[in-house]
Amino acid sequence: MKAVQVMSFGTADVLRVNDVDCPAPRAGEVLVSVEASSVNGHDVIVRSGGLKMVSGRRFPIGVGLDFAGTVAATGDGAEGYRVGDRVWGMVHPRQRHPVAGAAEYVVVSADRISHAPADLSPVEAASLVVAGSTALIALRDSVHLTAGERVLVRGAAGGVGTAAVQLAHAMGGHVTALARDRHADILTGLGADEVLDYGSTTSDQIGAFDVIVDTVGMELHCYRNRLAKGGRMVTVGLSPSALAAIAASSVHGSRRIRTFSANPETPGLRVLADHVTSGALRPVVDKVYPLADIAAAHRAFERGGVVGKHVVTVPRSSV
C-alpha cells in the first residue's frame, strides 16, 4: 500500500509516498481504509523535527494526524464496528507512528475512532477531526465559555479558527473574528458578529474580551492585556515565544494563558459529531490535494492566508 513518510527531518521536500506493507489489526484495533486526511500544524512540526521527544530519530515516521474512511477489518475485541462502517479519528499525537493517517490504510485502537457524521463526505469529515476537536476543547473545557460572553478568535480564518467561530456562536458567545479583511463575509456567515482586519488592527485598538482563543502563538502578552476582569485566554499556536508567554502569565490567576494538546478519543469524537448533526459546526475546506501532492499541501499550509483546511485525498486501494 501507499503511505506518506519522512526519512529525515526537513521541509516539505522530505515527504515521500512510499510502498509499505499493509498493517493488520491486533486485539482491540481497527484497520481503516483511509479516504482523506487533513494537514495540521502537528504534522508540519513532526516533519520538521520539532517533536523529536515524541517521534524520536528513528525513520521512517508516518505523516497525518487525522483521517476519515471506512472500516476494512477489526481485531478481536474491537466492539461496535463492522467492515464498511464510515469512521473518523486520529492517531495518538504523542506517539511515534511509522504509518499514520496519510496512507491508504492505518491501524488504530478502537477507542481512537467513532462513526463519522452521515451527512459529511470523507473530505469534509477529515477537515473537522483535529480542527473541530481543538476548538471544542478550547471553548468548552479550557476557557469554559458561557452564553453572553465576548469572544475574540485570533487567526479566525484557519482550520481551528473557523471551527471556533462557529462553536462560540452556537454556545451563545458574542464573537469577534480577527483575520484578513477579505475573509470577512465568510466569517460573518459562520457566525462572527464582527470581523476585524488583523493587518490594520493592533491589540491596543480592540476592546476587552471575556474569552480569547488564539491560534497564532505570537504577541500573546499583548492580547492577554485585552482580557476583561475574570477573562480567560487559550492558545493552540505554540512557538518558543508562546511557551515563554504562557509561563510568564502563570502569576495572573484566571487571566493566565492556557494551552493544551487535543487528543480526542471516541467519546469526544461523538460529541463533535453531535455538533455537526445539530448544524452548529460545518466543514470549511480551502483546497483538496491528491496524496501524491501532499508536499504541495504542506507548503500551502505553511504559507497561510487560507480559509479552513487543506485536505489530502487517498485513492482506494485493492489491498
Side-chain angles (χ1 to χ4, degrees):
M1 71 171 198
K2 303 291 186 182
V4 178
Q5 298 175 312
V6 297
M7 312 304 291
S8 63
F9 296 124
T11 68
D13 294 334
V14 304
L15 294 169
R16 297 287 181 269
V17 182
N18 291 332
D19 291 311
V20 302
D21 292 334
C22 185
R26 297 173 297 185
E29 293 181 335
V30 175
L31 176 68
V32 177
S33 175
V34 178
E35 296 179 60
S37 176
S38 79
V39 180
N40 296 283
H42 179 275
D43 305 316
V44 173
I45 296 172
V46 168
R47 186 209 75 210
S48 303
L51 282 177
K52 294 186 182 76
M53 293 182 63
V54 173
S55 66
R57 297 174 181 269
R58 291 185 297 118
F59 299 100
I61 298 172
V63 175
L65 186 57
D66 52 27
F67 55 84
T70 59
V71 174
T74 60
D76 293 339
E79 303 291 341
Y81 299 100
R82 297 180 297 178
V83 172
D85 284 353
R86 295 183 62 248
V87 295
W88 62 353
M90 60 184 287
V91 299
H92 200 296
R94 294 189 289 277
Q95 295 177 1
R96 175 184 174 274
H97 305 281
V99 173
E104 290 185 326
Y105 289 84
V106 65
V107 163
V108 291
S109 174
D111 62 8
R112 301 207 61 78
I113 63 172
S114 77
H115 291 94
D119 293 337
L120 295 186
S121 70
V123 166
E124 292 171 329
S127 76
L128 282 175
V129 174
V130 171
S133 296
T134 301
L136 180 61
I137 293 169
L139 291 164
R140 182 193 63 189
D141 303 332
S142 186
V143 297
H144 306 287
L145 175 65
T146 60
E149 290 192 305
R150 296 157 295 175
V151 184
L152 175 69
V153 180
R154 186 173 177 229
V160 175
T162 52
V165 167
Q166 294 178 75
L167 291 173
H169 172 76
M171 296 167 71
H174 182 279
V175 184
T176 298
L178 187 60
R180 295 176 187 265
D181 187 59
R182 66 174 183 265
H183 299 149
D185 289 345
I186 294 173
L187 292 168
T188 300
L190 294 175
D193 297 284
E194 182 180 12
V195 180
L196 300 178
D197 179 17
Y198 87 87
S200 60
T201 306
T202 62
S203 59
D204 58 0
Q205 293 175 317
I206 63 177
F209 295 90
D210 303 299
V211 165
I212 297 176
V213 178
D214 172 83
T215 72
V216 179
M218 299 171 61
E219 300 180 329
L220 297 186
H221 64 287
C222 297
Y223 285 89
R224 192 196 65 78
N225 290 337
R226 309 318 301 165
L227 288 173
K229 182 178 180 180
R232 293 90 66 203
M233 179 175 178
V234 59
T235 183
V236 297
L238 294 185
S239 65
S241 64
L243 294 174
I246 291 166
S249 77
S250 62
V251 299
H252 293 283
S254 67
R255 297 174 72 241
R256 72 187 187 280
I257 303 171
R258 300 159 168 83
T259 191
F260 65 93
S261 174
N263 186 22
E265 296 184 337
T266 299
L269 292 168
R270 287 174 177 164
V271 172
L272 187 67
D274 289 341
H275 283 286
V276 173
T277 302
S278 72
L281 179 64
R282 68 178 191 262
V284 181
V285 177
D286 187 272
K287 190 171 181 180
V288 179
Y289 301 78
L291 188 70
D293 291 341
I294 190 169
H298 272 233
R299 293 186 192 101
F301 176 90
E302 292 177 286
R303 284 195 300 269
V306 303
V307 179
K309 296 286 290 186
H310 294 290
V311 179
V312 174
T313 56
V314 183
R316 304 298 288 172
S317 173
S318 59
V319 176

